[in-house]
Amino acid sequence: MAATAARGLRRSGVVLAALIALTAAAGCGSDSDEPAKASSSAPGERPSKTDPAKRPERTPKPSVSAADGRDITACADGNCEIVVSEPVKIPFKGPRGPATLSVTEVGPNAIAYTVKSGNGQSKGSASGPGRGCITVLRSNGSGNSCGGVGTAGRPSPQPDAVVIQAATGEDGTAVLQLVSDR
């Protein structure tokens, strides 16, 4: 009887192995012309939540491009278009000499900054989709206007002034444009 049971188990094992092989072969086919996607996890394993390939980046990628990318040194002459995603200080040549644009807050649909030139300073902040601020820095002072900037494009240069436009981005970035008549 033991010999009969052993033969039965061997046959069951052979049948089971054949079924597994057929199932695996059937699962590999595809009616699509696309190549099969490889899985990084072993069969029966769930993908890890800390998979390095799937971790979000710390610095948001801008949804818009800027002529000078993220290069703050491009603003030194008072003319640039950059994207920022974190607080930053940007030195530039103002109408009366050295000036600094300090972005103090940037996030999804939010921007706040301070412009310092000589003994004066100007602050601007905006929040919400399509919002932003324009600061006009002149040798005798500055002025701000905040509200909807939408797709206003690059501000126009003004005589003896630097025009700063800061526009919010929904992805946690902001586009800064500095325009001078130089």
Side-chain angles (χ1 to χ4, degrees):
M1 175 122 174
T4 306
R7 242 181 292 146
L9 284 175
R10 271 184 271 167
R11 281 187 199 156
S12 296
V14 171
V15 170
L16 184 59
L19 283 174
I20 290 172
L22 285 173
T23 304
C28 291
S30 172
D31 291 337
S32 160
D33 289 337
E34 296 179 25
K37 294 180 182 174
S39 172
S40 61
S41 44
E45 258 185 41
R46 287 188 171 170
S48 169
K49 289 185 180 180
T50 58
D51 183 359
K54 298 186 191 239
R55 282 189 200 149
E57 292 185 20
R58 292 183 187 260
T59 304
K61 288 188 178 182
S63 60
V64 296
S65 61
D68 298 306
R70 294 179 180 262
D71 182 12
I72 65 171
T73 62
C75 299
D77 64 354
N79 286 292
C80 66
E81 179 183 56
I82 63 170
V83 174
V84 297
S85 58
E86 58 191 20
V88 64
K89 288 188 179 197
I90 303 166
F92 66 96
K93 184 178 178 188
R96 291 186 67 189
T100 304
L101 168 61
S102 298
V103 175
T104 56
E105 177 190 340
V106 63
N109 295 314
I111 180 75
Y113 64 90
T114 302
V115 180
K116 291 183 181 178
S117 177
N119 293 329
Q121 81 172 17
S122 184
K123 293 184 177 193
S125 66
S127 61
R131 313 290 283 175
C133 295
I134 295 178
T135 298
V136 180
L137 183 62
R138 299 187 184 281
S139 59
N140 60 351
S142 62
N144 279 351
S145 176
C146 295
V149 292
T151 56
R154 188 171 174 86
S156 299
Q158 296 187 18
D160 300 318
V162 176
V163 181
I164 301 165
Q165 178 174 289
T168 64
E170 59 186 44
D171 60 357
T173 62
V175 176
L176 303 175
Q177 295 179 338
L178 279 70
V179 179
S180 72
D181 65 348
R182 293 178 220 134

